[in-house]
Amino acid sequence: MKICIIGSGLTSLILAKNLIKKNLYVDLIYENYQKEPTSARTIGITNQNFQFLKHLFPNLKSRSFSIKEIQIFNHNDLDSALLKFRSNKINQMYMFKYHEIYNYIINEFKNLKNLKKIKKNLKTLDLNYLSKKYDLIIDTNLQNKFSKKNFYKKIKKDYFSKAYVTIMYHDKIDNSIARQIFTKTGPIAFLPISNDSTSIVISHKKTIGDLDKSYLEKLVIKYNKFYKTLKFSNIQSFDLKFSLLKSYYSKNILAFGDKLHQIHPLAGQGFNMNIRDIKYLSKEIDRKISLGLLIDNTVLEEFQNRRKSNNTVFAGTIDFIYEFFQVESRAPKYLSKKLFKLLNNSKLLSRYSSIIADKGI
């Protein structure tokens, strides 16, 4: 049995390693590796997804930074968190610099058996031809003619905002708390990646052109009550949009990864959705193998039947949280305090929220 994966992002590489571990043959078709040595991008991986990845990449933990607590603030009051998420048993999240985890995983692919790497122009791929050559094709890129024709219907939403990402360097502290501050112009996330550096993700309403670096730095300083002696790396930006594909597969070809679902980064859950998809697809393939059945498009049908509803509900929940806090940030301070005091005192709600964030729906 032979499987083709199209694309060279983190999701493609992790999926390829997972399938190879099952003694399946995988062809990885890519155009370029996505190495970004100066990137400010970071990735947060939930505890359960991190445990799954450790089985594939045993040295992953040495490249991570542990987040023990997550705090939510309103811009009106930076002295006390509206909500706190913490567990004495597990870390809330593991943070990675994107280029470090990517380069590590790329190196893990050297001399890997059952893997063939094929460099091609992804826009000119003939998937009708390839579909006869492979048992399954998993396309994380969707640039070719077949994928554009079959995977274009989607639920879409434009947040009319941009995300600005930078790394802030500061005095060394015990830096194990991630913080999200909801402001009138959008949320600002402080995501520790070491004891002396923190990833900053600023969601800001769109303006004509990118915001000036000095303005963004002043914005961070305005809402910072946690760090001293600040220096900033270069700032990167990207548009914020919401999208969910309506159809997950056609023939024996599956759309996958960020092209399948795109959500607001406020909860750091986009990549975690991809990992949950990999886990479910992996279980379905294991089930087929254990029963001695062919790995064919029935795997993709089962994947769509299960994951489409889960992904839709989860993505909708993240969107609701974003819209809720957009309204809440404009509410009077005394109303916010009363509401979140009630939520914070609800142990059931706090526990349920943590479970959803870690495991998904």
Side-chain angles (χ1 to χ4, degrees):
M1 293 182 182
K2 203 167 187 180
I3 297 174
C4 171
I5 298 175
I6 300 170
S8 59
L10 269 180
T11 300
S12 300
L13 300 177
I14 292 167
L15 177 60
K17 182 70 180 290
N18 176 264
L19 296 175
I20 289 165
K21 202 169 182 182
K22 303 179 193 297
N23 292 319
L24 298 172
Y25 289 90
V26 175
D27 283 359
L28 183 73
I29 300 179
Y30 72 104
E31 193 161 336
N32 292 297
Y33 285 127
Q34 300 176 351
K35 293 189 177 183
E36 301 180 41
T38 59
S39 173
R41 288 173 63 191
T42 55
I43 290 176
I45 300 176
T46 64
N47 178 68
Q48 191 168 93
N49 285 340
F50 180 77
Q51 302 308 320
F52 169 78
L53 291 178
K54 275 204 311 181
H55 292 294
L56 298 175
F57 306 101
N59 295 320
L60 194 63
K61 188 169 185 179
S62 63
R63 290 157 175 84
S64 69
F65 190 76
S66 302
I67 303 295
K68 296 178 182 177
E69 183 174 328
I70 298 172
Q71 297 180 352
I72 310 296
F73 292 84
N74 180 289
H75 66 97
N76 285 320
D77 185 3
L78 300 179
D79 292 319
S80 57
L82 297 172
L83 292 171
K84 294 181 181 180
F85 300 97
R86 186 182 182 95
S87 170
N88 294 326
K89 296 179 180 179
I90 62 171
N91 290 316
Q92 295 296 307
M93 194 170 284
Y94 294 84
M95 292 298 302
F96 296 83
K97 290 182 179 178
Y98 179 87
H99 66 276
E100 289 185 1
I101 186 175
Y102 189 85
N103 291 342
Y104 162 62
I105 288 177
I106 283 288
N107 289 331
E108 289 289 299
F109 274 72
K110 291 178 180 178
N111 305 317
L112 201 59
K113 293 180 180 179
N114 294 0
L115 175 70
K116 183 179 180 182
K117 292 176 278 188
I118 304 168
K119 193 169 185 178
K120 283 191 176 183
N121 184 332
L122 300 185
K123 292 181 181 178
T124 60
L125 287 178
D126 184 351
L127 260 60
N128 282 310
Y129 165 74
L130 291 176
S131 66
K132 299 169 186 175
K133 185 179 176 183
Y134 296 99
D135 296 289
L136 293 181
I137 296 175
I138 301 167
D139 190 354
T140 68
N141 197 270
L142 305 192
Q143 287 189 13
N144 57 80
K145 189 182 292 186
F146 179 93
S147 292
K148 284 184 176 181
K149 181 181 177 181
N150 290 277
F151 302 122
Y152 71 93
K153 292 182 179 179
K154 59 180 71 173
I155 301 167
K156 295 188 291 184
K157 176 178 179 178
D158 193 333
Y159 288 108
F160 300 104
S161 296
K162 272 195 167 187
Y164 294 87
V165 183
T166 186
I167 293 176
M168 181 178 71
Y169 301 95
H170 49 77
D171 289 347
K172 196 170 185 178
I173 60 170
D174 179 9
N175 198 22
S176 60
I177 300 174
R179 298 173 176 92
Q180 185 101 322
I181 302 170
F182 285 89
T183 78
K184 290 183 178 180
T185 57
I188 300 177
F190 292 78
L191 306 170
I193 51 177
S194 73
N195 283 328
D196 57 7
S197 60
T198 298
S199 172
I200 307 294
V201 182
I202 303 169
S203 300
H204 199 285
K205 292 177 182 178
K206 273 187 184 177
T207 58
I208 298 173
D210 280 349
L211 293 171
D212 184 75
K213 184 182 178 183
S214 63
Y215 169 82
L216 293 168
E217 289 179 1
K218 287 176 184 175
L219 195 63
V220 173
I221 292 167
K222 177 182 178 181
Y223 293 109
N224 166 52
K225 295 198 75 173
F226 324 106
Y227 305 100
K228 296 179 181 178
T229 315
L230 310 182
K231 292 181 181 179
F232 298 88
S233 70
N234 291 331
I235 294 174
Q236 295 173 288
S237 67
F238 55 91
D239 291 336
L240 293 177
K241 295 183 179 181
F242 175 100
S243 69
L244 293 170
L245 276 184
K246 292 186 176 181
S247 177
Y248 278 29
Y249 76 99
S250 179
K251 295 184 177 180
N252 62 337
I253 300 162
L254 176 68
F256 207 79
D258 294 337
K259 301 292 184 179
L260 193 59
H261 35 64
Q262 182 179 1
I263 62 173
H264 197 284
L266 71 89
Q269 288 290 334
F271 184 64
N272 285 289
M273 287 178 72
N274 294 347
I275 300 301
R276 292 179 193 118
D277 285 346
I278 290 173
K279 287 159 69 176
Y280 184 79
L281 184 62
S282 175
K283 284 181 182 178
E284 186 57 27
I285 289 173
D286 284 342
R287 188 180 72 83
K288 290 279 188 179
I289 292 172
S290 69
L291 296 173
L293 299 175
L294 292 174
I295 299 174
D296 55 17
N297 63 353
T298 59
V299 171
L300 309 187
E301 183 179 4
E302 287 295 326
F303 177 81
Q304 175 172 281
N305 290 342
R306 176 64 182 271
R307 292 304 300 163
K308 185 177 179 180
S309 57
N310 287 10
N311 285 335
T312 300
V313 172
F314 188 82
T317 301
I318 299 298
D319 181 61
F320 171 79
I321 291 169
Y322 169 78
E323 295 295 351
F324 172 81
F325 276 102
Q326 286 296 100
V327 174
E328 187 277 334
S329 66
R330 296 174 178 84
K333 184 176 178 180
Y334 74 93
L335 283 179
S336 289
K337 281 207 165 188
K338 283 187 177 180
L339 172 63
F340 285 99
K341 186 178 180 181
L342 179 66
L343 294 176
N344 232 348
N345 289 337
S346 172
K347 292 183 179 179
L348 179 63
L349 178 64
S350 180
R351 182 173 177 273
Y352 188 59
S353 300
S354 295
I355 290 171
I356 290 176
D358 188 28
K359 299 182 180 180
I361 294 174

